Amino acid sequence: MQYLPVCLQLRNSPVVLVGGGTVATRKARLLLRAGASLNVVAPEIAPELEQLLAEHGGHWQRATYRKTDLDGRVLVIAATPHREINEQVHDDAIALNLPVNVVDSPDLCTFIFPSIVDRDPVIIAISSSGRSPVLARQLRSKIEAMVPGSYGRLAEFAGRLRHRVKEALPAETARRLFWEKAMEGTVAEQVMGGREDRAEALLEDMLKDVEALHCGEVYLIGAGPGDPDLLTFKAVRLLQAADVVLYDRLVSGPILDMARKDAERIYVGKKRDDHAVPQVQINQLLVDLAKQRKRVARLKGGDPFIFGRGGEEIELLARHDVPFQVVPGITAASGAACYSGIPLTHRDHAQSVRFVTGHLKDGSSNLDWPSFQSESETLVFYMGLVGLPLICEQLQLHGRSAATPIALIERATTDDQRVITGTLATMVDIVKREQPKAPTLIMVGGVVELHGELAWFGGTN
């Protein structure tokens, strides 16, 4: 994050704008709407800017810029067509420790103007960190279509009754749960429909029965293989509603960042022979947190029910009568296949696919190797990096050709994805040379030959 988004209170604050053209007029319009006491410094100004200043009580200083124009100001904006003047304004502002924005010059800015969706008092700011203002404006248009103008009325309603709710619900968690329910239900609909008296009566009824809001719940959420864009809408919604987030090492940072900023985060990750929290304790922790009336998101890489031990976790929840929801996720095999250009099935190569755990307990060969010999079936081994030599050996011992194509996909669907290909005979040596790191996925079968033809993600052969 290159910039920290903040909202400035500028009402009656002295702000200087250097420049008087079309661009300066756009900035002046925003500053005056925010209530700034605006002083424009320019030899000439556009008629619209002059009218804006007259309407809002701003001041035009008909002059060329001087350093003393910054005296007593809290914010500085330069919007002239002259680079040397803009640079001078920047240097002078920096010397005085004043925030400065030079329009269309990110290198001369200590703050930038975002693209704004105004549903006063709700303000939504979108920024591309100065890289692409057009993209920011396009995003603003999409958000404006999604956010009704009546959201401002809803925010005013909540602000007016905030003190009343705080008196009735002094505990922060209970209060947040109350407002979340109010803002998503009938109360909000009544307010946005202009029936605030009815909405206030409904809110008072809710305050009389707050115990109904205090039920704990567990959300077992499939986080997918890594790319945050692969999360379902439901997964994002429940993740952002959770009070506590339990996550493992397969959950990527960008996905974890989607949780509420004030949510408690508990790492319960596992890697080979190193369990941060044993599975039995994870199961019990979910129960305990829900019994404390918390909403708990259990983030699991991939899909909870495909080698994710999700069944064990909800089994204990069910025994203790803890409400839960299971949200499917894109399993690693599907994500890795799509992002590496290796279809799991293909009419010319494979008519079926089998998912197998490659994490062999105690290093033993306890898989049904004789059943893995069909040339028309794709084999996908989860957690098979350490067991790769055994996988290649056993498949060949039980009849698979040494020339059978095999792929190892490292960190599938992320920017760090790497695809390593070979055959059952050569793959062990290739992996020793390439030194991939977990998480990885192994695919075996004729479909691997399509990687070079269909790959688009930029993996490495």
Side-chain angles (χ1 to χ4, degrees), residues 42 74 80 108 147 161 203 208 318 334 372 379 385 411 449:
V74 299
T80 82
L108 299 179
V147 181
L161 293 170
L203 187 139
K208 296 173 184 176
S334 180
F372 296 164
L379 297 177
L385 179 58
R411 301 185 183 279
E449 295 176 350

Side-chain angles (χ1 to χ4, degrees), residues 206-225:
M206 288 175 60
L207 286 174
K208 296 173 184 176
D209 188 23
V210 295
E211 286 300 315
L213 304 173
H214 290 194
C215 180
E217 188 173 9
V218 174
Y219 313 132
L220 195 61
I221 299 174

Side-chain angles (χ1 to χ4, degrees), residues 127 234 253 398:
S127 171
K234 185 174 184 179
H398 288 83

Side-chain angles (χ1 to χ4, degrees), residues 145-156:
M146 296 168 57
V147 181
S150 54
Y151 266 47
R153 182 186 301 144
L154 183 59
E156 291 284 6

Side-chain angles (χ1 to χ4, degrees), residues 330-407:
I330 292 179
T331 188
S334 180
C338 292
Y339 279 56
S340 62
I342 303 175
L344 294 174
T345 61
H346 188 283
R347 186 171 59 180
D348 297 331
H349 297 276
Q351 288 72 54
S352 63
V353 60
R354 187 183 303 205
F355 297 165
V356 186
T357 176
H359 190 181
L360 307 180
K361 187 175 181 180
D362 302 325
S364 61
S365 176
N366 57 356
L367 297 176
D368 186 12
W369 299 107
S371 70
F372 296 164
Q373 301 309 307
S374 174
E375 297 290 338
S376 63
E377 181 174 72
T378 302
L379 297 177
V380 180
F381 290 88
Y382 286 67
M383 301 168 286
L385 179 58
V386 173
L388 177 67
L390 184 62
I391 291 170
C392 292
E393 175 190 57
Q394 289 296 319
L395 287 175
Q396 292 178 78
L397 283 176
H398 288 83
R400 276 288 180 115
S401 167
T404 301
I406 180 173

